[in-house]
Amino acid sequence: MIGLFLNVLDFALPVLIMIFAGLVGTSVLMELGLMQKFSKLVSPVFAYTNLPETCASSFVVALGSADAANSMLLQAKKESCINDREVLLCSMMNATPAYFRELFTYQIPIVLPALGPVVGGFYSLVFVVTAVFKILLIAVASKIFLEGNSCKAPETRSKEKVPLKKAFERAFKKELRLFLKIAGVYLVATTVIFILQEQGAFEIFSVLPLAEIFSIPPETIVPLTSYVASPILGISLMGPMIHSGEITEIQAMIVLMLGSMFMLPIFAVRSQLPRKVAIFGTRLGVQIVAYSTAISILVRLVILLILLSMVS
């Protein structure tokens, strides 16, 4: 039990630090009256949607941290500035900058050298396509389901110029209680996920039946299974097989898409679900994770079908 608790802390503490920094940092920007100015930087992205201005402001914050951006949405929801449907779409929008950040932190330095320019470039392109598809889908959904909301990002009520030190002190006092509540929920949710993992609950996501259906080469079973547990490990095992000619580039792409489709639900439950539930509550948090994961899986499924049509 002590070992489990230590594992939970090791996993959760960096996330909680980021959430706390996001809460306080966003609140400081509000105290300084800067959030409305920042939202204008991304106004072209939201010009053809019915997403509220608060969403544009949080999107700017999401360029640095999605947790911080979602904390800002929570503040707006508490002040009845946005409703649950708007929170859902805005939170999904806040996840899209991560796809582009990963091009420079994950795809280019790790994936391209490991898989080569063709397969690695394809894998990177899948992330870009997923992000663009999500943005377009969210924009369309906002037009269909939202009526438009002129509520602006909350600003400090005081119009006088607030010193940075005073703004930080106000923000810290205001956000500490909310953070402690979020931290408690997050630690409990993460502990439950780790217990389920130890009990083998995630073994239902076995890739072997699906691998047999799509008749992928037997030698790819190990990297495929490894990818579901750890994408970096799976990619590391697959790279030499591509370079040596054991599998073709198309087969490697098929394995990557199959692995992604099974990895995404595990990643969502293990990493994303505790964060979203801790910030937005169980119902809304589960909805956000479920919709976002389903869209990502759908994109990979379509790409997989295209690849299969090329080899049939």
Side-chain angles (χ1 to χ4, degrees), residues 118-119 122 248-258 307:
V118 176
V119 179
F122 160 81
T248 67
E249 291 173 338
I250 294 294
Q251 287 174 330
M253 294 175 188
I254 291 174
V255 171
L256 287 170
M257 290 303 96
L258 283 173
L307 292 172

Side-chain angles (χ1 to χ4, degrees), residues 15-194:
V15 176
L16 291 175
I17 291 172
M18 288 190 295
I19 292 176
F20 182 69
L23 281 169
V24 175
T26 301
S27 187
V28 167
L29 292 176
M30 293 177 185
E31 291 288 340
L32 296 175
L34 297 176
M35 194 55 69
Q36 293 292 336
K37 297 178 181 178
F38 288 161
S39 66
K40 295 178 182 177
L41 298 176
V42 296
S43 57
V45 179
F46 296 85
Y48 300 100
T49 73
N50 281 345
L51 295 172
E53 185 175 325
T54 300
C55 190
S57 301
S58 68
F59 186 81
V60 174
V61 178
L63 297 175
S65 168
D67 289 323
N70 288 329
S71 299
M72 181 178 174
L73 291 178
L74 177 63
Q75 294 286 0
K77 182 176 181 292
K78 285 173 57 181
E79 298 184 12
S80 301
C81 183
I82 54 178
N83 58 37
D84 284 357
R85 189 171 288 179
E86 290 165 337
V87 170
L88 189 151
L89 293 178
C90 290
S91 179
M92 290 173 61
M93 180 70 85
N94 287 342
T96 56
Y99 290 96
F100 298 102
R101 284 200 307 271
E102 286 189 0
L103 285 177
F104 304 99
T105 61
Y106 178 62
Q107 308 295 342
I108 293 176
I110 298 176
V111 174
L112 281 176
L115 298 180
V118 176
V119 179
F122 160 81
Y123 188 78
S124 301
L125 185 61
V126 169
F127 280 75
V128 175
V129 170
T130 302
V132 172
F133 181 74
K134 280 189 176 182
I135 290 172
L136 293 176
L137 191 61
I138 292 168
V140 172
S142 73
K143 286 291 188 180
I144 297 174
F145 298 110
L146 303 182
E147 298 179 355
N149 183 345
S150 59
C151 184
K152 297 183 178 181
E155 295 181 289
T156 178
R157 290 177 188 153
S158 176
K159 296 299 181 182
E160 80 245 12
K161 189 174 181 180
V162 181
L164 181 60
K165 182 179 179 181
K166 187 174 182 179
F168 180 81
E169 291 174 351
R170 287 182 182 176
F172 184 86
K173 292 179 181 178
K174 185 169 64 175
E175 306 302 338
L176 181 59
R177 181 177 295 180
L178 174 61
F179 168 74
L180 292 176
K181 179 181 178 182
I182 291 175
V185 175
Y186 184 81
L187 287 172
V188 170
T190 303
T191 301
V192 171
I193 296 301
F194 271 61

